[in-house]
Amino acid sequence: MNRRNFLKTSAAVIPSTVALQMLGGGHWVLAQTADFKDDIDVLNYALTLEFLESEFYRQGNSANILRGQEAEYLRQIGADEDAHVQALSQTIMQLGGTPVAKPTVEFGDAFSSRQKFLTTSHTFENLGVSAYLGAAGSIKSKDVLQAAAGIFGVEARHAAVVGSILGLPAEGGVYMGPTETPKPRAEVLAAAKPFIKS
Amino acid sequence: MNDKDPSRTLFDGQGVIKFHSEVDRRRFLKYAGMVGVGSTLALTGVACGTDDNGGTAASPGATASPTGAAAKDADVGILNYALTLELLEAEFYRQGLAGNILSGRERELIQPIGQHEQAHVDALTKTIGDVGGTPAEKPEFQFPPGTFTDKAMFLKTASTLEELGVTAYHGQVTKIESPEILGAAASIAGVESRHAAILAALTGGKPFPAPVEASKDMQEVLDAAKPFIKS
């Protein structure tokens, strides 16, 4: 099924040495300039992903499959994603743009068990981190950049904590190397596509 | 001032960073004054001026730079500011992991943090050299007794340091001129956010304190770090 492809794709981790070579060599390429038309385009790209996450946690947290502190953490993560949707929508309108419509989404059996819920969450959060980093270089407004960076960091927090409560190995599970890895727009959208029905 | 003010909680307010020379100390202190003004003050090495007026004027030893070079110099200043904070973190974890206060999952989660901070030091040092700057020298650090023998104290300090690091990077996001350096700094900042969240979780704090990362400008970070800089 599609979801399996999604998980497989996003599990491919670029070795940290590659990122560090980019860091040290001064040849860092954040994104193809052609990836985004303008800041509104970047913000709508981010909004689509945040809509996806927000709805994912709304459904997952109502499925009542987590207990105690885990449940509390995931509720906070869901609230953060809701806040990101709000902030991005407002910013798009302030810039004179039109926020994309909330997509219709389908998460398959992601809420059938604690393990599946958390594993899918972990994948979404790491995808979000890579998506924001991949888009950062296309952002022209300093204010938009500050906001996007601020959201990016929080997605990294989510990814780490979910990786930790899943009991994943520290390196490669909780942390993804000494630097975060950017993903280009096409790769991110291909990973998200199986969950978006329209 | 509040409970979250790192100058109140870090190392019990004792001096931790000891620079090799007055010039090094002044250089670090002056990063705070050069934000957004393109000053080359902090970047001139031994030619650093002796005034303490915030660094909005050019250093006596600084050569006049065209706009592009000044922008690059400002980025080098930011990289050196980040490098100094990473040197502090790397040394902190090196000493913390050398002892035996951590074990099991805690050690497993913190060991890579130490490796990351050292990787950040190495990467920032190399990047500064690659763009023609001079990497800041490693200061001397003096940690108060108990930092590396009292596990609760170590973890609390680690958590505070990571949160400070996150806000320091986010405070520079709009100041960095070069897209390459911005990308590099952002890719490090995300990892610091992961560290901060894990340490908050380990110490019963808040792994997700807000939906968007907070930021501090150099002056605010400096104010937090100043009590720990030995002159």
Side-chain angles (χ1 to χ4, degrees), chain A residues 11 15 22-23 45 61 93 125 153 169 188:
Chain A
M22 288 192 277
L23 179 64
Y45 164 70
N61 287 331
M93 286 187 286
E125 296 297 341
V188 171

Side-chain angles (χ1 to χ4, degrees), chain B residues 135-160:
Chain B
E137 239 187 293
K138 184 178 173 181
E140 278 178 38
F141 303 106
Q142 292 179 343
F143 299 93
T147 304
F148 305 116
T149 50
D150 176 342
K151 189 176 83 172
M153 185 172 166
F154 175 75
L155 291 175
K156 184 84 183 70
T157 307
S159 176
T160 308

Side-chain angles (χ1 to χ4, degrees), chain A residues 44 47-53 55 59 85 100-107 192-193 195-198:
Chain A
N44 266 324
L47 179 57
T48 299
L49 295 175
E50 296 287 354
F51 268 136
L52 187 64
E53 288 185 318
E55 180 61 17
Q59 293 185 24
V85 166
V100 289
K102 182 176 173 176
T104 306
V105 292
E106 168 58 52
F107 300 109
K193 201 177 174 193
F195 298 93
I196 298 176
K197 293 297 143 200
S198 64

Side-chain angles (χ1 to χ4, degrees), chain A residues 2-84:
Chain A
N2 284 338
R3 198 175 67 88
R4 210 169 290 143
N5 297 336
F6 171 50
L7 295 173
K8 201 192 291 172
T9 305
S10 52
V13 178
I14 296 174
S16 59
T17 48
V18 174
L20 278 176
Q21 278 163 11
M22 288 192 277
L23 179 64
H27 303 300
W28 185 276
V29 179
L30 286 146
Q32 302 294 323
T33 313
D35 260 11
F36 298 98
K37 196 169 58 144
D38 53 24
D39 284 1
I40 291 170
D41 194 21
V42 177
L43 289 164
N44 266 324
Y45 164 70
L47 179 57
T48 299
L49 295 175
E50 296 287 354
F51 268 136
L52 187 64
E53 288 185 318
S54 166
E55 180 61 17
F56 173 77
Y57 291 108
R58 196 190 65 72
Q59 293 185 24
N61 287 331
S62 355
N64 224 9
I65 43 180
L66 303 180
R67 294 286 172 267
Q69 184 151 64
E70 274 181 19
E72 179 53 31
Y73 282 160
L74 273 282
R75 269 197 298 274
Q76 286 171 11
I77 292 174
D80 284 348
E81 310 302 3
D82 293 347
H84 297 167

